[in-house]
Amino acid sequence: QVRLVESGGGLVQAGGSLRLSCAASGSIFSINAMGWYRQAPGKQRELVATITSGGSTNYADSVKGRFTISRDNAKNSVYLQMNSLKPEDTAVYYCNAQGITTIAFSFEVDSWGQGTQVTVSS
């Protein structure tokens, strides 16, 4: 099965930056879309940003102009550059992959990583 592993989370002061990385492993042929979601304690998971294999991006209004999502199709990886971080950005960030085709041409709807903690202090 396809597995996702996130890295890059940590503690940073408001106004600082962090870069999150996520790598998908398995017998992967292609991934249609990858993205980042976050969940704060007591709240539901929300979309942060997504990117398709063709490079089309989508961002939550709250992070536009501050976060940048990118991916490396050859490495089946996705990244999230987070600048001008705010305390409101504090959450567990999850990597997501959708529309996964394996080298055996089987199809997997989606997969989730285990999450990485991002804490922004004021």
Side-chain angles (χ1 to χ4, degrees), residues 4-16:
L4 305 178
V5 180
E6 304 99 334
S7 63
L11 174 65
V12 65
Q13 285 196 250

Side-chain angles (χ1 to χ4, degrees), residues 22 24 28-34 51-56 70-79:
C22 172
I28 301 169
F29 179 76
S30 65
I31 300 174
N32 181 34
M34 301 186 77
I51 184 168
T52 68
S53 60
S56 297
S70 61
R71 66 185 285 176
D72 185 332
N73 292 336
K75 296 180 179 180
N76 291 315
S77 299
V78 64
Y79 311 92

Side-chain angles (χ1 to χ4, degrees), residues 58-99:
N58 181 45
Y59 296 92
D61 289 340
S62 60
V63 306
K64 287 182 179 178
R66 299 189 298 120
F67 292 8
T68 302
I69 189 170
S70 61
R71 66 185 285 176
D72 185 332
N73 292 336
K75 296 180 179 180
N76 291 315
S77 299
V78 64
Y79 311 92
L80 186 68
Q81 179 65 46
M82 305 184 293
N83 298 326
S84 301
L85 283 162
K86 304 175 181 179
E88 304 93 271
D89 296 318
T90 296
V92 176
Y93 284 69
Y94 296 90
C95 178
N96 171 255
Q98 298 179 359

